[in-house]
C-alpha cells in the first residue's frame, strides 16, 4: 500500500562505490552471478548510456549527477520465502506498508524489493503447479535463462533512451512473470519497491509474458523516505501480450520528493489481445513516465488511465503512447491531473495510426484541475495519422474548482477543505474506480492528506 514510512534501520550486505565505470559494472555483474551473455548485454548498454544525451524535450534533468549515486545496494544475502526469515526491521517496514496483510487477503503472489534486490517472495502453490512463474529477474536468469534472453530488450532496446540504457546496464531485482496458454490468474500479483538509502539508484527490470488466451493482473507500489540528497529510480517494464490474452498493469507511485523517477514502460499487444495500464503518480521530484502500447495484432486494444498529482517542488510529466499497427485496433487514453502549491503537471502523449492500421480508432481525453495561481498544467499531444480509414478523437480541458459546487457543499455543512476534497475525488473518479478496491481506498487517504496539508 502506498504510505509514507520513515527510514528503516538496517545495515546492507554490500553497497557499490558511487559512480559509473567498467570496473564497477564488472564487480556488480560478479555480485549478480551473471552468465556471460548477460554481462555482454550490460557492457553494451553501459557504452550506449555513455554516448546518449539527456532528453531535452521534457523537464530539466541537467542537475542529475550520475557520479553521485551508488548503483547497487544489496540488502540481504538471499530472497526469503517466509516473512520470519526476513530481517526484522525490513519486515516491520513492509508490515507498516500493509504488504503481508494484502498477501493473505487479496493477492496471488508478492515480491518485495528493498534497495536493489528482492528480499521476500511468494506465489500460491496452485498457480506454480500449473506453470505460472513469478520470480525475481535474478532467479529468472538462473532458472529460465532462455526465456529471458529471448525477450529481454526486444520491446525496449538498450538504445531506446539514456535511462533505458542505464537500467539495462545496472538492472537488479524486479519481477519476471510468465503465464502459460489458457491460464487465468484470478487474483493480482504484486511487487512493492522500497528505496531506503540516500544517494542510491534503483533499477528494477520487469518482464511479463502472457501466452495466448491467458490473463493476469499485476500491481506495483513504491515508496522512499525523505533525504536531503537525491535518489534515482530508472525502471524498465516490457510486457508481451500474446493473441487473445489480457494483461492489466497498475502502478501506485508515492516516491518521496527527493527521487528522480524516470521510467520506460511498453507493451506489445497481439491479435484480439488487451493491454490495460493504470498509472497513478503522487510522489517524486521529477517524474517522466509514459506507458505505451504497440498494437501489433489485428483487433487489439490498448488502454491507459493516467493520474498525476503535482504538489510543491514537483514536476509530474506523464502520459502515454499508442502505436496502431494492426487492423481494427482500438486505444483509449484518459488522463487526469491535479496541480497545487506551485506544482507542475504535464500530459505528454503520442497516438500514431500507421499506414496498415485499417479502421483503427483512438480516443484521448485529457483533463486538468489547477488549485491556485501558482501551479501549472501543460498538455503536449502528438497525433500522427498515416491511415486512410482511421479515426482519432482528442479532448482536453483545464479548470479550477467550481465556486458553485463549493457553495452547494458549504450549504450542506461541509468545510471548504472537505468540499474541495470531495470535488477533487469526483474529478479523479474515472481513474480511481479502475484501481483495485484496497489500493483505491489507500489512494483516497493519500489525496485527503494532500488536501489537508494544502489547506493547513
Amino acid at each position: 500500500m502506498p504510505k509514507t514510512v520513515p527510514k528503516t534501520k538496517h545495515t546492507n550486505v554490500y553497497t557499490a562505490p558511487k559512480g559509473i565505470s567498467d570496473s564497477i559494472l564488472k564487480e556488480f555483474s560478479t555480485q549478480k552471478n551473471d552468465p556471460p551473455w548477460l554481462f555482454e548485454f550490460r557492457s553494451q548498454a553501459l557504452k550506449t548510456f555513455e554516448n546518449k544525451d539527456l532528453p531535452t524535450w521534457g523537464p530539466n534533468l541537467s542537475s542529475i549527477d550520475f557520479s553521485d549515486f551508488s548503483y547497487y545496494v544489496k540488502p540481504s544475502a538471499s530472497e526469503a520465502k517466509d516473512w520470519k526469515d526476513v530481517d526484522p526491521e525490513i519486515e516491520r517496514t513492509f508490515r507498516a506498508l500493509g504488504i503481508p496483510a494484502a498477501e493473505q487477503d487479496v493477492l496471488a503472489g508478492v515480491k518485495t524489493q528493498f534497495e536493489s534486490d528482492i528480499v521476500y517472495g511468494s506465489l500460491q502453490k496452485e498457480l506454480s503447479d500449473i506453470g505460472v512463474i513469478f520470480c525475481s529477474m535474478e532467479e529468472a536468469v538462473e532458472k529460465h535463462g532462455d526465456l529471458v534472453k529471448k525477450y529481454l530488450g526486444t520491446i525496449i532496446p538498450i538504445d531506446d533512451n539514456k535511462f533505458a540504457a542505464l537500467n539495462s546496464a545496472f538492472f537488479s531485482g524486479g519481477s519476471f512473470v510468465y503465464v502459460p496458454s489458457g491460464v487465468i490468474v484470478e487474483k493480482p500479483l504484486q511487487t512493492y519497491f522500497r528505496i531506503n538509502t540516500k544517494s542510491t539508484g534503483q533499477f528494477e527490470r520487469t518482464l511479463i509474458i502472457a501466452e495466448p488466451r491467458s490473463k493476469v493482473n499485476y500491481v506495483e507500489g513504491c515508496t522512499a523516505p525523505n533525504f536531503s540528497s537525491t535518489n534515482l529510480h530508472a525502471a524498465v517494464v516490457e510486457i508481451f501480450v500474446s493473441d487473445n490474452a489480457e494483461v492489466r498493469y497498475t502502478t501506485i507511485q508515492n516516491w518521496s520528493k527527493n527521487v528522480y523517477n524516470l521510467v520506460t514502460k511498453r507493451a506489445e499487444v497481439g491479435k484480439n489481445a488487451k493491454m490495460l495500464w493504470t498509472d497513478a503518480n503522487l510522489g517524486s521530484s521529477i517524474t517522466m513516465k509514459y506507458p505505451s502500447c504497440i498494437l501489433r495484432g489485428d483487433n487489439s486494444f490498448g488502454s491507459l488511465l493516467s493520474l498525476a498529482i503535482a504538489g510543491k517542488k514537483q514536476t509530474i510529466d506523464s502520459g502515454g503512447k499508442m502505436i496502431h499497427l494492426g487492423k481494427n485496433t482500438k486505444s483509449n487514453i484518459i488522463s487526469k491531473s491535479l496541480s497545487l502549491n506551485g506544482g507542475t503537471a504535464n500530459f505528454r502523449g503520442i497516438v500514431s495510426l500507421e499506414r496498415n492500421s485499417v479502421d483503427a480508432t483512438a480516443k484521448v481525453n485529457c483533463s486538468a484541475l489547477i488549485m491556485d495561481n501558482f501551479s501549472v498544467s501543460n498538455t503536449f499531444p502528438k497525433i500522427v495519422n498515416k491511415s486512410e480509414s482511421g479515426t482519432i478523437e482528442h479532448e482536453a480541458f483545464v479548470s479550477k474548482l467550481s465556486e458553485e459546487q463549493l457553495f452547494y457543499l458549504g450549504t450542506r455543512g461541509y468545510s471548504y477543505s472537505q468540499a474541495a476534497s470531495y470535488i477533487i475525488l469526483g474529478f479523479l473518479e474515472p481513474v480511481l474506480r479502475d484501481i483495485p478496491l484496497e489500493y483505491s481506498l489507500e489512494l483516497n487517504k493519500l489525496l485527503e492528506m494532500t488536501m489537508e496539508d494544502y489547506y493547513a
Side-chain angles (χ1 to χ4, degrees):
M1 301 298 178
K3 301 176 182 177
T4 300
V5 175
K7 185 178 186 297
T8 306
K9 297 178 181 178
H10 171 74
T11 301
N12 295 306
V13 173
Y14 171 81
T15 301
K18 288 184 178 182
I20 299 176
S21 67
D22 290 337
S23 60
I24 289 175
L25 180 67
K26 187 173 182 179
E27 172 59 23
F28 164 73
S29 185
T30 300
Q31 288 277 341
K32 305 302 289 182
N33 295 314
D34 287 340
W37 69 264
L38 184 51
F39 176 66
E40 179 58 32
F41 178 88
R42 295 188 189 278
S43 298
Q44 185 180 352
L46 180 57
K47 293 182 178 68
T48 302
F49 166 78
E50 291 170 341
N51 293 323
K52 277 277 186 183
D53 294 329
L54 284 169
T56 57
W57 42 262
N60 186 356
L61 302 176
S62 61
S63 60
I64 297 178
D65 182 359
F66 291 101
S67 66
D68 194 41
F69 298 106
S70 174
Y71 288 83
Y72 181 55
V73 180
K74 185 179 180 65
S76 59
S78 61
E79 176 184 332
K81 302 300 182 183
D82 191 307
W83 283 110
K84 293 184 296 184
D85 299 325
V86 178
D87 178 284
E89 289 295 330
I90 296 178
E91 187 275 337
R92 190 175 294 115
T93 296
F94 284 115
R95 180 154 35 88
L97 291 164
I99 306 304
E103 177 186 13
Q104 291 182 353
D105 296 338
V106 297
L107 299 174
V110 167
K111 295 290 172 185
T112 57
Q113 179 160 336
F114 192 86
E115 311 293 18
S116 300
D117 285 343
I118 297 292
V119 295
Y120 171 81
S122 70
L123 177 65
Q124 291 179 349
K125 186 176 184 300
E126 55 265 34
L127 292 177
S128 61
D129 286 347
I130 58 175
V132 175
I133 302 170
F134 180 39
C135 64
S136 68
M137 283 297 291
E138 286 77 12
E139 184 177 341
V141 169
E142 178 186 354
K143 297 181 179 179
H144 313 286
D146 289 344
L147 270 177
V148 176
K149 188 176 181 180
K150 176 181 177 181
Y151 288 100
L152 183 69
T154 56
I155 298 181
I156 302 173
I158 59 175
D159 61 353
D160 188 84
N161 63 76
K162 190 173 183 69
F163 297 100
L166 181 62
N167 176 281
S168 297
F170 287 98
F171 76 83
S172 178
S175 297
F176 177 82
V177 178
Y178 176 83
V179 186
S181 296
V183 172
I184 297 176
V185 181
E186 299 287 356
K187 293 182 178 181
L189 303 173
Q190 185 196 44
T191 304
Y192 202 94
F193 301 97
R194 171 79 170 175
I195 297 176
N196 193 66
T197 302
K198 66 179 182 179
S199 300
T200 59
Q202 189 176 77
F203 310 103
E204 78 271 10
R205 188 93 180 200
T206 298
L207 181 57
I208 298 176
I209 305 165
E211 294 286 21
R213 304 181 313 285
S214 67
K215 184 176 181 179
V216 66
N217 184 354
Y218 180 91
V219 182
E220 67 175 9
C222 34
T223 62
N226 281 302
F227 296 112
S228 57
S229 59
T230 58
N231 290 84
L232 176 61
H233 176 251
V236 167
V237 176
E238 295 179 288
I239 303 178
F240 297 83
V241 192
S242 302
D243 294 351
N244 301 290
E246 179 179 321
V247 175
R248 181 182 295 271
Y249 194 108
T250 302
T251 300
I252 311 293
Q253 181 265 112
N254 189 36
W255 293 121
S256 58
K257 293 182 182 179
N258 59 287
V259 176
Y260 289 102
N261 183 42
L262 309 167
V263 177
T264 309
K265 296 183 173 183
R266 197 170 298 155
E268 185 174 89
V269 190
K271 184 178 179 180
N272 300 314
K274 294 181 180 180
M275 178 66 215
L276 312 171
W277 297 100
T278 301
D279 194 57
N281 299 285
L282 289 87
S284 81
S285 170
I286 294 177
T287 285
M288 296 178 71
K289 192 200 305 183
Y290 321 99
S292 306
C293 292
I294 301 172
L295 301 173
R296 190 174 301 280
D298 294 348
N299 306 304
S300 57
F301 175 72
S303 170
L304 168 64
L305 296 175
S306 177
L307 169 63
I309 311 293
K312 186 177 182 180
K313 297 182 179 180
Q314 282 185 282
T315 298
I316 308 296
D317 200 272
S318 60
K321 304 174 186 177
M322 295 291 172
I323 312 300
H324 293 250
L325 300 178
K327 298 176 182 178
N328 196 38
T329 54
K330 293 180 173 61
S331 70
N332 189 29
I333 296 176
I334 296 177
S335 171
K336 297 280 187 176
S337 69
L338 174 69
S339 49
L340 66 165
N341 279 331
T344 298
N346 297 330
F347 168 80
R348 199 177 302 272
I350 296 176
V351 173
S352 180
L353 273 56
E354 298 301 315
R355 198 170 306 280
N356 293 326
S357 59
V358 178
D359 295 330
T361 302
K363 296 181 180 181
V364 180
N365 186 302
C366 178
S367 52
L369 190 60
I370 301 177
M371 295 294 295
D372 50 55
N373 295 328
F374 311 102
S375 302
V376 177
S377 175
N378 297 305
T379 302
F380 303 101
K382 181 178 180 180
I383 295 174
V384 179
N385 189 358
K386 300 177 184 178
S387 172
E388 296 181 356
S389 59
T391 302
I392 301 175
E393 298 177 16
H394 187 278
E395 179 183 2
F397 72 89
V398 179
S399 62
K400 290 189 174 183
L401 286 179
S402 166
E403 293 297 331
E404 290 82 3
Q405 290 177 323
L406 289 168
F407 175 78
Y408 174 80
L409 290 172
T411 64
R412 295 297 184 267
Y414 294 101
S415 68
Y416 188 90
S417 61
Q418 288 174 325
S421 296
Y422 287 129
I423 294 171
I424 290 167
L425 288 174
F427 169 75
L428 300 176
E429 190 269 341
V431 177
L432 297 178
R433 72 185 176 202
D434 200 66
I435 296 174
L437 177 61
E438 60 279 7
Y439 302 97
S440 180
L441 293 173
E442 193 61 50
L443 190 54
N444 285 345
K445 291 179 184 177
L446 283 169
L447 291 169
E448 289 173 6
M449 291 169 58
T450 299
M451 296 313 301
E452 287 173 1
D453 292 342
Y454 180 68
Y455 287 109

